[in-house]
Structures are given as structure tokens and as C-alpha cells.
Amino acid sequence: MRGLLLTFFLFICSSSAVAAEQFTLSEFCPPGFENVGGRCELRSLYQQYPSLQSAGVGGLKTGLPEWREGFTPQQIDLGRYLFFDPLLSADADMACASCHQPARAFADGRARSLGRNGEPMQRSAPSLWNVAFASRLFWDGRAATLEEQMQGPLYDPLEMANTPADLLAALEAAPAYPALFAAAFPGGEAEGIRLEQVYTALAAFQSSLISLNSRYDHYAHGHAGALSEREKAGLNVFRSFVARCAECHTPPLFSNQQLAVIGVPEPEGRPLDPGAQVSTGDPGLRGAFRVPSLRNVALSAPYMHAGNFATLREAVAFYNGGRGHAVPEGEQLNLHWHIWNPALGEEELDLLVEFLGTLNDESFMPREPRQLPSGLAPVHNRPGPAAAETGD
């Protein structure tokens, strides 16, 4: 099957529809980055502020955690093409953007993402906004780097189902890609395309997905009128020692990046997902999942690791239900100590939801390609209920 696919790729790439000379890589860094000696470095007002370590639960002027940067403009742009290209999958029908769609905050709007055969996977697709700051990846935190994380879906037989050898062969067979890789990684043309270059380019693009320019950020940097009075009241609830939201969803990233057991109910009567217990071997982390960032959270429903809640209002109400109220019978979970009984009123829950909407920011949304070096259609142009329809 894969041999036939490679023959197909050779055919389409030799046609006039794909010409290597029609693709060039950008010489400019994405918005929010400065070109310093040919490398793109992040620029944010948050870099002026003290680090998280000295700021408790994260005040308005709290510094950022460590982040990935230093990629070239060409590497970032090459990663942009690869991200949308179904050539990376065994059957040429899935790309990274299949589950991480720009129009859905780089998630896919599904409770559980679909695999290569249309079957629901175990968990939802997390948003990729600000993934450059993430110290743990996957819901169970089993990967420490983007390069490690991406090899999961690339080679998982239930997802993109490729193999390293077939991935390289397909890229080499597309006339435009060898020249683009040579431009992004000069000096190694004689060796051909290498796997680590594929991983680096994809990591470079994903690290450029920065969202730090929301109305909340304007308020945090001193523009008092950026939030309404109700949104400010919601922020006060969020940061209060009654609600305690900020103790886990710590500004400015709105995540402390820890693994936490919060005891959410599984949807549809499914058995408990053991979460990080499997990836760490620690029984104390049974049911633990990575604390996600709340950036663009109003755009990435449904919520939790398996779309456990359809709306933000349902999600915040869960935390108000009392410690351990949804733990399945017979389970003895080591609930995080921040999970307790805040007893917030209905108005306070509404204010929380209004505040969370101020974290929306897609001002640095990357441009989606209309054409790809493989000659295949970008996944956002393909039909389907969860396909993004934006971009050029």
C-alpha cells in the first residue's frame, strides 16, 4: 500500500501542478519575534517582569516561564508547510492540522479526536497556542519536548500511521521539498532530508504560535479600560483564595504546567482514564492530567481530557461542586489539594466565564498555505465536519 502511495506521489509531483521554483521560504520572522543574527527571538512586555518563581500565583506583571525560540525564519516557514501537509501520513489523508485546526484554537472542536479510520481516539486534541512554553506535552505529560511529542501521532498506527523511512521517502519524492529543506538547513544537501530536520521545522512552526496580546494582557500591562467592570470582577474571583483558580492556572501562561488529579467524571459512562499513572508509573497520579493553559479557552470547547464538559459554564461549575463529588464509585483518587469546596454563587460563576473570554487572542494567527510543496490539498481545504475553512 505504501509503495503504491509513493508511486502516486512521484506521479503528482512530476506533473505541472507542482513546480519546485514556485515555493520559497520566508526571510522574515513571524509577528511577535525579532530577527537577531538570523534567528527569531520572542519579544513580549512580559519579558520585563520578574519570573514566576518569585511571584506567587502570578500577578498582573509576572514574567513568563522558559520558552522555545532561536529558529530561523526559513525553518519556521518550512514547518508551516509541513504542518498542513497530509503527505506526512501513511495514507496521505491526515496532517497535523487535521486535529490542530487554526479556526478552533489549534484544537479540533471534538470531545475525542478522530484517528485515521474515523474512530474516536482516547482523548481530545489540546490547543497549540503558546505550546512554546510547555514543559510537558500530551494530556498525561509523557513528552518533554515538541520533537518527542510529534513522533507519537506521526507513527501511531491509529493516527498518521507513517514510518520514518516512508516519511523521508515521500518528502524526497516531492520535487519542492528537497530544495526547501536545503534552504532551511543549509550545508547538508548531500545527506538529503533527515528526520531531525522534519522534527525541528515542525517544532519551529509550533513554537511561533504565540498568544499574549488579549484584552487581559492589555489590562495587565496597565490599560485599565481594556476590561469591563464585570470582567474585572471575574478576574478578582479567578485570583481569589476562595475560587483558587490562579493557583493552578497561573498567569501569564494561565497554567502551572503540573500534573493534577481533579476527579472529573468520564463522559458517556466510560471507565476512568488513568492518565499520568500510566506514563509515570506512579499510582498517586491515577487520573492526573496536565493543567492546560486557558489562553483562547473560550474558542476550544469542549473541555477536559475527553471533552467532559461542553461549555465553559459547565467546566467552572464542576469545580464548584465540592471536592471529589464526581469521582467514580470504588476509586480512591489522590485529589489535588487545591480542589476543595469554594461554594461560589451563580453570579460568581458567570463572572468567571466572562473573564475567561478576555483571554482570547489570535492576532498572530499564521497564514495558512493555499498550495503545498507535495501537490496535495492542505487539510483546511478538505471537506469534513471538523475542517477549518479559513486562510489563504
Side-chain angles (χ1 to χ4, degrees):
M1 178 64 179
R2 286 174 179 157
L4 290 174
L5 284 172
L6 283 176
T7 301
F8 168 70
F9 295 145
L10 286 167
F11 171 76
I12 62 168
C13 292
S14 63
S15 71
S16 59
V18 178
E21 60 270 18
Q22 77 186 75
F23 292 95
T24 57
L25 298 178
S26 176
E27 298 179 357
F28 301 97
C29 292
F33 290 81
E34 180 182 358
N35 192 320
V36 179
R39 302 279 172 173
C40 299
E41 295 186 0
L42 180 67
R43 293 293 179 264
S44 167
L45 287 175
Y46 284 109
Q47 291 167 303
Q48 303 179 53
Y49 306 146
S51 69
L52 278 170
Q53 284 71 26
S54 61
V57 296
L60 296 180
K61 290 181 169 54
T62 301
L64 296 163
E66 294 183 2
W67 63 89
R68 295 289 301 274
E69 65 177 356
F71 301 102
T72 68
Q74 293 82 5
Q75 290 167 351
I76 295 170
D77 205 29
L78 174 59
R80 181 177 67 95
Y81 283 123
L82 293 171
F83 187 85
F84 290 95
D85 203 330
L87 183 70
L88 272 62
S89 66
D91 297 330
D93 60 353
M94 291 185 71
C96 304
S98 297
C99 293
H100 299 286
Q101 301 165 11
R104 291 174 168 81
F106 288 95
D108 63 4
R110 296 182 182 276
R112 294 156 60 197
S113 295
L114 299 183
R116 65 181 299 211
N117 297 316
E119 293 295 323
M121 303 295 289
Q122 184 180 14
R123 297 170 185 151
S124 64
S127 170
L128 295 183
W129 281 115
N130 290 337
V131 74
F133 301 99
S135 59
R136 288 186 171 98
L137 297 152
F138 289 113
W139 277 106
D140 58 12
R142 65 183 183 272
T145 67
L146 284 168
E147 291 85 348
E148 179 185 358
Q149 180 276 330
M150 69 184 63
Q151 294 177 58
L154 274 174
Y155 305 131
D156 189 321
L158 299 179
E159 297 187 63
M160 297 173 78
N162 218 328
T163 68
D166 286 341
L167 172 59
L168 290 178
L171 290 169
E172 291 281 5
Y177 269 125
L180 294 180
F181 272 87
F185 301 95
E189 294 86 347
E191 302 177 34
I193 299 172
R194 302 193 304 275
L195 285 173
E196 60 266 26
Q197 294 173 341
V198 178
Y199 305 152
T200 296
L202 284 168
F205 171 68
Q206 292 178 66
S207 296
S208 74
L209 303 177
I210 300 299
S211 180
L212 295 172
N213 196 33
S214 67
R215 288 194 296 115
Y216 162 80
D217 298 302
H218 296 178
Y219 179 79
H221 297 319
H223 177 28
L227 301 185
S228 71
E229 292 306 311
R230 286 185 60 83
E231 289 164 345
K232 292 174 187 176
L235 172 59
N236 290 336
V237 175
F238 184 89
R239 288 182 46 78
S240 72
F241 285 103
V242 176
R244 307 177 77 166
C245 307
E247 295 182 22
C248 288
H249 295 285
T250 310
L253 187 60
F254 286 86
S255 171
N256 62 7
Q257 310 210 52
Q258 295 178 5
L259 298 170
V261 184
I262 63 174
V264 296
E266 293 291 342
E268 304 167 2
R270 299 176 68 219
L272 180 78
D273 186 334
Q277 178 186 14
V278 175
S279 58
T280 65
D282 183 351
L285 291 178
R286 180 169 178 77
F289 298 95
R290 180 174 58 88
V291 176
S293 171
L294 297 182
R295 294 286 181 164
N296 290 311
V297 68
L299 307 174
S300 61
Y303 303 103
M304 306 296 182
H305 63 276
N308 311 57
F309 302 113
T311 67
L312 271 177
R313 187 59 165 72
E314 291 176 25
V316 298
F318 159 76
Y319 290 98
N320 204 42
R323 182 178 176 86
H325 72 278
V327 173
E329 185 177 352
E331 290 283 353
Q332 300 293 323
L333 299 183
N334 186 24
L335 294 173
H336 196 285
W337 68 280
H338 288 161
I339 302 299
W340 70 309
N341 305 299
L344 299 175
E346 295 297 312
E347 174 72 357
E348 291 170 305
L349 295 179
D350 290 339
L351 291 171
L352 274 176
V353 172
E354 289 190 44
F355 165 68
L356 292 174
T358 72
L359 300 178
N360 290 353
D361 165 42
E362 298 181 304
S363 55
F364 291 167
M365 178 70 77
R367 181 171 53 88
E368 300 178 42
R370 289 188 181 274
Q371 294 181 298
L372 294 172
S374 65
L376 298 172
V379 295
H380 65 77
N381 287 333
R382 295 184 165 208
E389 300 294 340
T390 62
D392 58 9

